[in-house]
Amino acid sequence: MDKVKNRLRQERWAKVFMQISGIIITGSLFLIIGSILYKGLPYLSWEMVSQSPKGGFYLGKAGGVLNAIIGSLYLAGLSTLIASIIGIPICLFLHNYVHPKSFIARLLKLFFDVLFGIPAIVYGAIAFSIMVALGIRASLLGGVITISLLTIPIVVRTLDELLSSIPSDLKQVSSSLGATRWETAKLMLKYIKPGLFTAILLAFGRAIGDVAGVMLTTGFSDNIPKYLDEPAATLPLAIFFQLSSPIPEVQGRAYASALILTLLILIIVLCTHFLSLKQKKHKL
């Protein structure tokens, strides 16, 4: 009886701690979103999202952050594309061309686990060194290199989990029917198609919100970049520079920019959630 009572007591305490944790996390989320809405919504206007900064914008004069919005989309889009082109073949190699328990497979997974945990500023420093060695100045290309290095581990680890969830019978049946490894790989991609899009969206969301990695490599410009060798503004950097201003008007615009970024992230999260639900219902 004492053991049963002790277990019930532990169960009640565990339930209380989980409820408290849930309340803290939910409250923190509403506090952050509420603060951004309260401080940024009065300064959010069509001018903010439809115009680039004009002379004296960071001193409180006219203009918007269209250059930062476009720059963020360029940067995140190109980086996610490169990460997908590199990450998807790596995952297919790990699950079709080497044994899952082989030394190479375990080493590569450990390698990407380590890369997954490295801070963004370290990627920025590494990319900056590469840029110096190659003679590349701070530009959109430099930011793409940095964020690509940052998002490749995200794509690889997410897809690795998805591919690991595929029933082993699928590969066995495919092989028994005479399919090549590449044909089996295409079949596996078809099976995890909704999850694949989820992984790509997660990488895109991580890329569009990063500031530490691009601070050293992307530069900053009030113009919308037309070429890869031009400096580009991003929303996180625009928020950082505006918050650094002592002018209340500029600080308010920083929160408006943060609200725009939050809405973009919210759209990505909703798309990810939708695709996750579709993945659960997906049948080959």
Side-chain angles (χ1 to χ4, degrees):
M1 289 296 295
D2 291 337
K3 290 184 178 180
V4 174
K5 290 181 179 179
N6 187 39
R7 289 180 179 178
L8 290 174
R9 191 180 303 111
Q10 292 177 354
E11 177 70 19
R12 286 195 295 268
W13 277 110
K15 184 178 180 180
V16 170
F17 283 130
M18 285 188 288
Q19 289 175 340
I20 293 174
S21 300
I23 292 172
I24 291 174
I25 296 299
T26 305
S28 300
L29 175 62
F30 280 107
L31 178 63
I32 293 171
I33 295 178
S35 298
I36 294 174
L37 286 171
Y38 177 74
K39 296 181 179 180
L41 197 57
Y43 294 91
L44 185 63
S45 63
W46 176 245
E47 182 184 11
M48 278 286 296
V49 298
S50 63
Q51 296 184 14
S52 295
K54 298 181 180 179
F57 173 76
Y58 292 96
L59 297 176
K61 297 184 179 180
V65 291
L66 178 63
N67 63 319
I69 297 173
I70 301 298
S72 293
L73 294 176
Y74 281 168
L75 179 65
L78 290 173
S79 302
T80 306
L81 176 63
I82 294 173
S84 301
I85 292 173
I86 296 175
I88 293 175
I90 291 174
C91 288
L92 294 177
F93 173 77
L94 288 174
H95 285 266
N96 285 280
Y97 292 89
V98 297
H99 194 277
K101 295 184 179 180
S102 66
F103 174 76
I104 294 178
R106 285 183 288 142
L107 181 64
L108 285 176
K109 288 183 180 181
L110 175 62
F111 176 72
F112 283 106
D113 282 339
V114 173
L115 289 178
F116 188 84
I118 294 177
I121 190 64
V122 177
Y123 283 104
I126 294 172
F128 181 75
S129 300
I130 295 174
M131 291 166 59
V132 171
L134 297 178
I136 301 174
R137 65 175 184 173
S139 60
L140 179 60
L141 177 60
V144 168
I145 293 173
T146 305
I147 303 303
S148 296
L149 294 174
L150 179 67
T151 51
I152 287 173
I154 298 174
V155 173
V156 171
R157 294 304 293 133
T158 307
L159 287 182
D160 179 64
E161 294 296 328
L162 289 170
L163 292 172
S164 298
S165 67
I166 295 177
S168 58
D169 294 344
L170 181 66
K171 291 195 291 185
Q172 294 173 0
V173 170
S174 178
S175 300
S176 66
L177 293 175
T180 62
R181 291 184 178 183
W182 173 240
E183 290 172 335
T184 302
K186 291 192 292 184
L187 186 64
M188 294 171 68
L189 285 178
K190 183 179 179 181
Y191 187 89
I192 64 165
K193 186 176 179 181
L196 174 63
F197 290 136
T198 300
I200 293 173
L201 285 174
L202 286 173
F204 185 88
R206 180 68 177 86
I208 201 171
D210 182 75
V211 62
V214 299
M215 189 176 294
L216 299 173
T217 57
T218 307
F220 198 83
S221 174
D222 290 343
N223 301 316
I224 298 175
K226 296 180 180 180
Y227 304 99
L228 286 174
D229 61 347
E230 294 181 357
T234 63
L235 274 172
L237 281 178
I239 295 168
F240 174 77
F241 290 135
Q242 289 177 96
L243 280 177
S244 303
S245 173
I247 303 173
E249 173 76 18
V250 179
Q251 292 180 358
R253 289 176 178 175
Y255 285 100
S257 301
L259 181 57
I260 295 170
L261 180 60
T262 302
L263 290 174
L264 290 175
I265 298 297
L266 178 61
I267 293 172
I268 294 170
V269 170
L270 292 176
C271 292
T272 302
H273 181 68
F274 171 77
L275 292 173
S276 297
L277 293 177
K278 190 175 180 180
Q279 170 69 12
K280 293 178 181 178
K281 300 179 181 178
H282 181 68
K283 293 182 180 180
L284 189 62

